Amino acid sequence: MAFSNEDLAIMATIIKRYPRPRSAIMPLLHFVQSRDGYVTNEGIELIAQQLDLAAAEVTAVSTFYTQYKPTPVGEYHVGVCTNTLCAVMGGDEIMDALKNHLGIENNGVTTDGKVSLEHIECNAACDYAPVVMANWEFYDNQTVQSAKDLVDSMRTGNPKPPTRGPNSLVTWKQASAVLAGLNDGKANEGVQAGAPTLLGLKIAKGETK
Amino acid sequence: MTKLTPILSAHWDEKDSFTIEAYKRHGGYTASTKALAMDPDAIIQIIKDSGLRGRGGAGFPTGMKWGFIPQGDNKDHYLVVNADESEPGTCKDTPLLMANPHVLIEGCIIACHAIRAKHAFIYIRGEVTHVVRRVNQAIEDAYKAGLLGNGIDVVLHIGAGAYICGEETALLDSLEGFRGQPRLRPPFPAIAGLYARPTVVNNVESIASVPAIIANGAEWYQGMGTEKSKGATLYSLSGHVNNPGQFEAPLGITLREILELSGGVRTGHTLKFWTPGGSSTPIFTSEHLDVPLDYEGVSAAGSMLGTKALQIFDETTCVVRAVLRWTEFYKHESCGKCTPCREGTWWLVQLLRDLEAGKGTEADLAKLLDLCDNIMGRSFCALGDGATSPITSSIKYFRDEYIAHITNGGCPFDPVASTLFAGAGA
Ligand SMILES: Cc1cc2nc3c(=O)[nH]c(=O)nc-3n(C[C@H](O)[C@H](O)[C@H](O)COP(=O)(O)O)c2cc1C
Ligand code: SF4
Ligand code: FES
């Protein structure tokens, strides 16, 4: 996709956040994903031009980090935590079930372009295991069935909302813009905490049975 | 019985706890007002006296770290908050930022004033979209309220999926716009950190602990905890327990106490092994239920307090499978800079895969330990050392189980029995 003048203006404000322009490379890569869905060659060239770097220098950074995708992912990118704790608690079963259910492998995308699947590492939500992420929003305490229902809801265009996140699931591109540091106005949506987060506090206050 | 002490978590049960209004309702931003009127060195002294130690894993005294920043050097100084939280099992900073991002921002204001920095960066891992929203909004609201922008600026920087960027020097390289690979130390960040300027890197929980210390005094803080491990901290309980979650308690509480308070290991099962502080800390068993969970107590028992990530595994869990999975994580996350870690973790995975599949031999077990020996202490950063912890500690306590895989010609465990939905027809 061609980048508009408005896009270029946004990129300029991202660069201005930092004392040194090169520091903006990561948010700019997220930004490119928010427009193109993945890190395109055009995006790399543009970042290189804006930061006065060689394209190879931008590529070297882009390929180091797993969240920058070299090829398109789905409108809803699903990550199943299969690090030890989640794996043992059912993450492995969930991952296998989703592969079968969607007919794709790890890092695959459904033919309708709606859903892609990736096994991910610990996502800092182990007290909500097994954890599934979609566009990096939390879907806590998943089962094989709830995970299948989730991806089905994505394919019919009405994805279930995250358990700890905004009122509705945003698309991959929209989430990438948030990761570029752009405010989508949804910070106040959703719960402040889930039950496990509050457990110690409730016990301290004598509010548990 | 040690009592829980909600301080950071005190108001997380209020629906709007993440807003500036809620934070101010409970006295938020009064500590920073107080601190800004104080001499910076006096703040550093209070933090030193409080006994606060870094909550990112290593437990380095926070006040002492701040004191290393050279003064009057006419250079820019930086504060960098480590919110990369990716150590397996670790899940405290993420809910903290989701429920109350303002306490971190207030901590940043105080820390910046103390170390004479005008800029703070918060480096958040990229896989937590809603946490990014909350922190971004909090920064915006703090600017609108005039709390930021008058000499202190806070910039949010979002990572992109690399565990190694939690290592402080790799984080700095990443923040400068390079591949996140660790730097040689010395020079330490306090002398040459971000952009080669004096820099303090602290964990989220460390900086978030600062406002309450300034508000209540060093004596109040060091009145909690044990002799050398002062204060209170967030313990994260996960895995095969009836009720997982966050528990804020004085340092030195034991796992037995936390389990008693929270409802214990999942009903009908028994504790098999657990990590005191994430996957990089050697595992413990039921022998260690009464180890005081402070820096000294856990070290004396042969592990590390780390991030206080208490991952609980019951008797249905195959230790070889668990260790293989952690090892695959380290192999995947190895940044590739040094050979012992890059090549070593690859070989560890091959050997463990064979062992799990029942294709290993006792000689492989010896080889595994030998490899660990060659990685431990010879790696460029602590990731390599951490990768050996689950292996060496599990062989120490569960050698028989490794052997059983060999004699059995495969894994004797049923993985379904370990799942949360076991028996639910899943
Ligand atoms: C591989 C590796 C990953 C790390 N990840 C984190 C992390 O996610 N968050 C963190 O605060 N510290 C992490 N650390 C520790 C940091 O290097 C550093 O010690 C810490 O941020 C200092 O803050 P503190 O003194 O407040 O604890 C990691 C260390 C290593 C070796
Ligand atoms: S120990 Fe591993 S992660 Fe650390 S520098 Fe070496 S290769 Fe990179
Ligand atoms: S192991 Fe899955 S979120 Fe931590």
Side-chain angles (χ1 to χ4, degrees):
Chain A
M1 189 185 89
F3 288 81
S4 67
N5 282 336
E6 196 194 333
D7 291 337
L8 297 182
I10 294 172
M11 292 174 88
T13 62
I14 291 173
I15 296 167
K16 273 209 220 87
R17 288 179 200 154
Y18 297 93
R20 301 196 186 176
R22 184 169 179 141
S23 285
I25 199 163
M26 293 180 73
L28 290 178
L29 284 162
H30 283 302
F31 183 74
V32 162
Q33 296 208 122
S34 79
R35 290 299 180 262
D36 288 347
Y38 66 106
V39 178
T40 53
N41 287 337
E42 193 192 352
I44 294 268
E45 293 286 348
L46 183 60
I47 294 172
Q49 200 185 320
Q50 305 257 321
L51 298 179
D52 201 14
L53 295 171
E57 289 176 286
V58 181
T59 306
V61 172
S62 175
T63 52
F64 185 80
Y65 301 93
T66 53
Q67 277 182 278
Y68 299 132
K69 302 299 180 193
T71 52
V73 293
E75 188 174 341
Y76 303 105
H77 183 63
V78 176
V80 181
C81 178
T82 55
N83 199 293
T84 303
L85 190 119
C86 280
V88 164
M89 306 277 292
D92 278 356
E93 283 76 4
I94 292 172
M95 184 69 190
D96 284 344
L98 288 187
K99 280 192 213 165
N100 276 328
H101 190 66
L102 294 168
I104 55 178
E105 285 303 308
N106 182 38
N107 292 325
V109 192
T110 55
T111 44
D112 59 6
K114 285 278 183 202
V115 185
S116 49
L117 187 64
E118 179 186 4
H119 84 82
I120 59 169
E121 300 299 352
C122 176
N123 220 90
C126 321
D127 47 348
Y128 295 88
V131 174
V132 169
M133 306 299 293
N135 296 342
W136 307 116
E137 308 279 10
F138 291 106
Y139 288 82
D140 302 319
N141 297 121
Q142 292 296 297
T143 63
V144 166
Q145 192 56 50
S146 68
K148 282 192 205 165
D149 292 347
L150 173 62
V151 296
D152 285 346
S153 73
M154 292 168 174
R155 300 191 78 175
T156 54
N158 190 17
K160 289 176 186 297
T163 44
R164 283 178 297 145
N167 296 339
S168 58
L169 179 63
V170 302
T171 66
W172 167 261
K173 287 184 182 177
Q174 288 165 336
S176 297
V178 174
L179 301 185
L182 306 179
N183 190 339
D184 67 357
K186 293 179 185 295
N188 290 355
E189 293 182 13
V191 293
Q192 84 287 11
T197 301
L198 299 177
L199 183 62
L201 176 60
K202 295 239 148 125
I203 293 171
K205 289 171 107 179
E207 290 175 8
T208 48
K209 333 113 245 178
Chain B
M1 178 88 149
T2 312
K3 286 218 168 61
L4 297 177
T5 47
I7 300 163
L8 287 168
S9 57
H11 306 293
W12 289 358
D13 55 348
E14 295 175 19
K15 291 246 166 298
D16 63 345
S17 65
F18 49 82
T19 62
I20 193 164
E21 293 79 19
Y23 188 57
K24 284 189 163 173
R25 194 158 71 223
H26 298 291
Y29 290 110
T30 50
S32 56
T33 309
K34 178 174 166 187
L36 288 173
M38 285 167 64
D39 173 40
D41 288 333
I43 298 171
I44 296 180
Q45 194 58 46
I46 292 174
I47 300 304
K48 280 184 183 164
D49 293 344
S50 76
L52 175 65
R53 293 169 66 171
R55 305 293 190 224
F60 192 83
T62 305
M64 198 190 290
K65 186 182 271 190
W66 294 8
F68 289 153
I69 297 292
Q71 299 305 336
D73 54 352
N74 288 324
K75 283 185 183 162
D76 290 331
H77 299 170
Y78 295 108
L79 172 69
V80 175
V81 177
N82 192 341
D84 196 53
E85 188 157 77
S86 310
E87 165 81 9
T90 310
C91 51
K92 63 189 179 72
D93 300 333
T94 298
L96 186 160
L97 292 175
M98 183 100 92
N100 185 5
H102 283 284
V103 71
L104 178 68
I105 295 170
E106 183 172 22
C108 285
I109 296 172
I110 300 169
C112 279
H113 180 61
I115 65 165
R116 287 92 160 167
K118 293 191 177 67
H119 267 100
F121 292 88
I122 301 174
Y123 188 117
I124 297 198
R125 69 179 296 181
E127 300 103 321
V128 288
T129 315
H130 207 49
V131 177
V132 168
R133 284 192 192 92
R134 290 263 160 95
V135 177
N136 209 356
Q137 188 65 48
I139 293 173
E140 254 184 45
D141 291 344
Y143 271 102
K144 274 188 214 138
L147 296 158
L148 293 176
N150 301 319
I152 294 172
D153 285 298
V154 174
V155 175
L156 178 60
H157 185 87
I158 297 134
Y163 166 59
I164 189 58
C165 290
E167 194 284 333
E168 59 184 20
T169 61
L171 186 153
L172 293 174
D173 259 37
S174 178
L175 185 49
E176 288 185 9
F178 296 90
R179 296 164 78 95
Q181 290 186 309
R183 299 175 179 175
L184 193 65
R185 288 176 298 187
F188 287 92
I191 305 304
L194 185 64
Y195 311 126
R197 297 293 181 265
T199 302
V200 163
V201 184
N202 269 137
N203 171 256
V204 169
E205 190 191 342
S206 312
I207 294 295
S209 299
V210 166
I213 295 173
I214 296 299
N216 300 306
E219 243 170 74
W220 163 78
Y221 199 72
Q222 52 128 301
M224 294 179 283
T226 54
E227 197 191 334
K228 289 185 183 151
S229 299
K230 300 297 186 191
T233 192
L234 288 162
Y235 293 92
S236 311
L237 183 69
S238 62
H240 289 136
V241 291
N242 283 324
N243 301 302
Q246 305 298 320
F247 300 85
E248 201 173 359
L251 281 145
I253 194 170
T254 64
L255 178 63
R256 188 187 300 280
E257 289 177 309
I258 292 178
L259 286 173
E260 277 172 14
L261 283 166
S262 66
V265 170
R266 75 177 168 151
T267 307
H269 295 275
T270 51
L271 174 63
K272 182 173 176 182
F273 63 96
W274 55 291
T275 66
S279 62
S280 303
T281 63
I283 61 167
F284 276 165
T285 67
S286 53
E287 282 168 48
H288 303 98
L289 274 165
D290 296 308
V291 169
L293 297 175
D294 62 8
Y295 298 99
E296 294 70 33
V298 179
S299 297
S303 187
M304 289 172 286
L305 185 63
T307 55
K308 306 146 291 144
L310 314 170
Q311 305 180 86
I312 310 298
F313 298 92
D314 70 18
E315 85 292 346
T316 62
T317 317
C318 171
V319 77
V320 181
R321 174 184 176 208
V323 171
L324 166 62
R325 196 57 63 89
W326 277 322
T327 309
E328 286 173 332
F329 164 78
Y330 291 106
K331 169 186 166 267
H332 181 249
E333 300 298 332
S334 168
C335 82
K337 181 166 180 148
C338 70
T339 314
C341 169
R342 183 187 61 240
E343 304 293 321
T345 52
W346 191 88
W347 282 107
L348 293 175
V349 166
Q350 305 308 310
L351 285 167
L352 279 164
R353 278 190 187 151
D354 279 353
L355 281 164
E356 196 208 14
K359 291 185 276 183
T361 61
E362 287 208 38
D364 288 339
L365 215 48
K367 208 183 286 171
L368 206 54
L369 287 172
D370 194 44
L371 267 168
C372 287
D373 220 34
N374 279 296
I375 297 171
M376 183 78 190
R378 290 179 171 82
S379 299
F380 191 81
C381 84
L383 185 147
D385 294 350
T388 69
S389 288
I391 298 173
T392 47
S393 58
S394 65
I395 295 178
K396 177 168 148 200
Y397 299 118
F398 297 101
R399 193 185 170 85
D400 288 354
E401 202 164 305
Y402 281 88
I403 302 290
H405 281 72
I406 298 168
T407 49
N408 195 48
C411 181
F413 288 85
D414 169 16
V416 175
S418 312
T419 62
L420 190 64
F421 33 84

